[in-house]
Amino acid sequence: MSIERELSEYLAKTARSRALHEDALAVMPGGNSRTTTFFDPYPFYIGRGQGAHVIDADGNDRIDFNGNYTSLVLGHATPEVVKAAQEAAALGMSFPGPTDHEIRLAEMLTRRIPSLQHVRFTNSGTEATMNAVRVARAFTGRTKIAKFEGAFHGTHDNVLVSVAPDPKVAGGRRRPKPVPSSEGIPSAVLKNVIVLPWNDADACEETLEREAGNLAALLVDPLLGIGGIIAPADGFLQRLRAVTERHGILLIFDEVISFRIAWGGAQERFGVRADLTTLGKIIGGGLPVGAFGGRPDIMAAYDPRRGAARISHGGTFNANPVTMAAGIATLNALTPEAYVRLDALGERLRGGVSRLLDATRRRGQVSGVGSLFCLHWTSSPLTDYRSSRPKDPHAPLRVFLALLNEGVLLTQRGMGACSLAMADEDIDRFVNALARVLSRE
Ligand SMILES: Cc1ncc(COP(=O)(O)O)c(C=O)c1O
């Protein structure tokens, strides 16, 4: 598979998208509002989604394993979610006051995640992790936070650190250095972020103990989601829980992605109780959303009764009724049986891809948990961010483009998610499309 061949096929299929991108270039930098969705020479513009499919401006129909970066667990335009959002919207899009929808969604979430006793809504996962970090600092009186190399937690300064660093500038594997993942991150921020290696419990414990007196929180995506869906080794999260508890460091589970792996999210699946949890993506049914919460004694900083709250958290669209209604409809559809089905879809896909890679003797593997998966173009045992880096750095984008040409949408880094709109045949279509792509390599 040559990138030139894949690009020329892509260009031939997407003339209308190219024209739209020309329009966009006049009014947006690079024609773009969302770093993650852009790829050269231009992204395809999406006209509509239905079930497991997205149809672009040129009429190309693709089966969607991206699902708006794992948000659309039911698929596109699910009738009951559309109906709930339409009914809420018909009564008013947003108000300068609360509605009962937010109570009902909060009840559903707190029932599913026992550690999430009190919760607040935001408009994005970014705002959720930003607030979780802020409240952890306020509660502990400490300044530093720890996060994992390769972990993405949104786009505020504190977490745009060591998201996908070049190991050549990122220090040793056991004690990674904080590397800014964007321009504009003040060096003062970097001084307050400790970076840890995923799945190395001894190294993490050592660093956390050394820094304990300064550490407000350890921020953990239990799947290292954007870093490649690398499951925690047995006992790893428990070790993190124990050391943070010993030292009064708040354990924040960022479940923006991982909430979809079980009825009660990663905390249920891995048997760990966090102090604070952040959520997003699926809980808004496809609309902008985030949430954060946890122990009532910590969340009390947001309690506005008897004078001002100690932490300010306004937000014109926080807990808007349309998002809340879509979230409720989505969670209602996510019954225990739905998770059995999601797991089965994920297992079918991982099994099919593994067999294909074995049969074709490719240097690659597939990781994942539940309905989530990620293709990796390396044969190193996958343990952390560094081990998941592809031997050929262009391989993920080449495969992404080639799959687009085959009618399959993934994320550019190879991460994907199965949705309840998919049938077994859709999973087999993915595996067959990948087989055709690899046969061109
Ligand atoms: C684990 C995790 N946390 C936070 C975020 C940020 O969420 P949002 O894009 O809604 O700001 C993401 C987004 O992909 C994420 O994967």
Side-chain angles (χ1 to χ4, degrees):
M1 170 193 10
S2 81
I3 194 86
E4 290 76 21
R5 178 204 175 282
E6 301 301 341
L7 272 176
S8 80
E9 184 173 340
Y10 177 75
L11 291 171
K13 282 180 165 160
T14 55
R16 176 81 188 124
S17 283
R18 186 162 59 249
L20 287 169
H21 185 62
E22 291 293 325
D23 292 348
L25 283 172
V27 283
M28 288 179 263
N32 178 259
S33 277
R34 192 172 171 194
T35 313
T36 31
T37 56
F38 184 82
F39 55 92
D40 273 323
Y42 53 83
F44 61 92
Y45 284 70
I46 299 176
R48 68 191 166 90
Q50 192 61 56
H53 295 258
V54 281
I55 293 96
D56 74 12
D58 291 275
N60 297 301
D61 183 333
R62 299 186 177 92
I63 182 157
D64 185 5
F65 285 88
N66 177 315
N68 198 10
Y69 286 79
T70 78
S71 305
L72 299 165
V73 66
L74 306 182
H76 292 275
T78 313
E80 62 266 36
V81 180
V82 172
K83 181 166 176 282
Q86 279 173 339
E87 283 174 2
L91 297 175
M93 304 292 280
S94 61
F95 305 115
T99 67
D100 65 345
H101 292 100
E102 74 180 271
I103 312 169
R104 304 303 155 226
L105 185 57
E107 285 170 348
M108 291 173 102
L109 295 171
T110 53
R111 217 174 296 131
R112 284 172 178 241
I113 307 177
S115 71
L116 186 83
Q117 290 167 275
H118 283 176
V119 62
R120 286 177 75 92
F121 291 102
T122 64
N123 300 295
S124 66
T126 291
E127 291 163 68
T129 60
M130 185 179 75
N131 274 282
V133 166
R134 181 171 294 148
V135 73
R137 285 175 166 156
F139 185 79
T140 59
R142 302 171 183 170
T143 307
K144 292 190 181 182
I145 60 161
K147 75 174 285 288
F148 286 92
E149 192 171 57
F152 179 68
H153 300 286
T155 53
H156 56 96
D157 287 0
N158 284 295
V159 295
L160 267 183
V161 176
S162 296
V163 174
D166 179 349
K168 285 205 265 317
V169 299
R173 184 184 284 266
R174 296 190 87 239
R175 286 179 68 172
K177 281 202 318 216
V179 178
S181 299
S182 165
E183 290 191 11
I185 308 287
S187 57
V189 167
L190 297 179
K191 288 197 187 82
N192 286 315
V193 179
I194 307 291
V195 181
L196 300 171
W198 186 241
N199 271 332
D200 186 339
D202 290 340
C204 291
E205 218 168 65
E206 214 175 280
T207 302
L208 291 170
E209 303 224 311
R210 194 179 56 249
E211 293 282 351
N214 303 315
L215 270 175
L218 168 59
L219 186 52
V220 183
D221 172 345
L223 298 178
L224 202 73
I226 302 288
I229 315 282
I230 302 176
D234 280 350
F236 178 63
L237 296 174
Q238 283 74 6
R239 291 269 299 273
L240 298 179
R241 177 64 282 186
V243 64
T244 49
E245 194 155 356
R246 245 187 345 266
H247 294 286
I249 302 165
L250 298 186
L251 182 63
I252 306 171
F253 261 35
D254 180 359
E255 297 227 36
V256 166
I257 287 183
S258 68
F259 183 53
R260 66 179 280 155
I261 66 173
W263 194 81
Q267 288 173 65
E268 175 190 297
R269 189 137 181 165
F270 299 122
V272 175
R273 190 182 172 100
D275 298 304
L276 291 168
T277 300
T278 54
L279 297 164
K281 302 215 194 257
I282 69 166
I283 69 160
L287 293 173
V289 79
F292 66 100
R295 283 169 36 193
D297 55 336
I298 302 171
M299 291 299 288
Y302 291 91
D303 185 341
R305 290 173 298 178
R306 290 181 287 279
R310 284 177 285 131
I311 297 185
S312 162
H313 176 225
T316 306
F317 298 108
N318 288 356
N320 80 79
V322 185
T323 298
M324 298 293 105
I328 292 166
T330 301
L331 291 192
N332 273 333
L334 287 171
T335 58
E337 299 73 44
Y339 291 94
V340 174
R341 174 71 186 143
L342 285 166
D343 281 6
L345 290 166
E347 269 159 36
R348 187 178 182 94
L349 185 141
R350 287 187 293 275
V353 172
S354 292
R355 282 189 296 278
L356 169 68
L357 293 171
D358 282 350
T360 53
R361 297 175 178 279
R362 307 298 309 189
R363 183 169 62 193
Q365 50 195 311
V366 58
S367 65
V369 177
S371 54
L372 298 164
F373 66 93
C374 189
L375 304 176
H376 297 271
W377 304 110
T378 171
S379 40
S380 311
L382 289 175
T383 54
D384 59 3
Y385 161 71
R386 295 192 191 193
S387 61
S388 75
R389 283 169 58 84
K391 293 281 174 280
D392 167 5
H394 305 296
L397 189 62
R398 211 163 55 229
V399 171
F400 165 78
L401 267 178
L403 281 172
L404 280 186
N405 290 334
E406 291 291 339
V408 171
L409 174 59
L410 204 56
T411 68
Q412 291 168 46
R413 295 196 53 197
M415 183 183 72
C418 307
S419 78
L420 283 173
M422 290 175 184
D424 286 355
E425 297 72 53
D426 294 318
I427 303 297
D428 301 342
R429 258 185 77 186
F430 177 91
V431 178
N432 293 335
L434 185 63
R436 288 193 296 277
V437 165
L438 295 181
S439 73
R440 298 207 286 273
E441 279 256 289

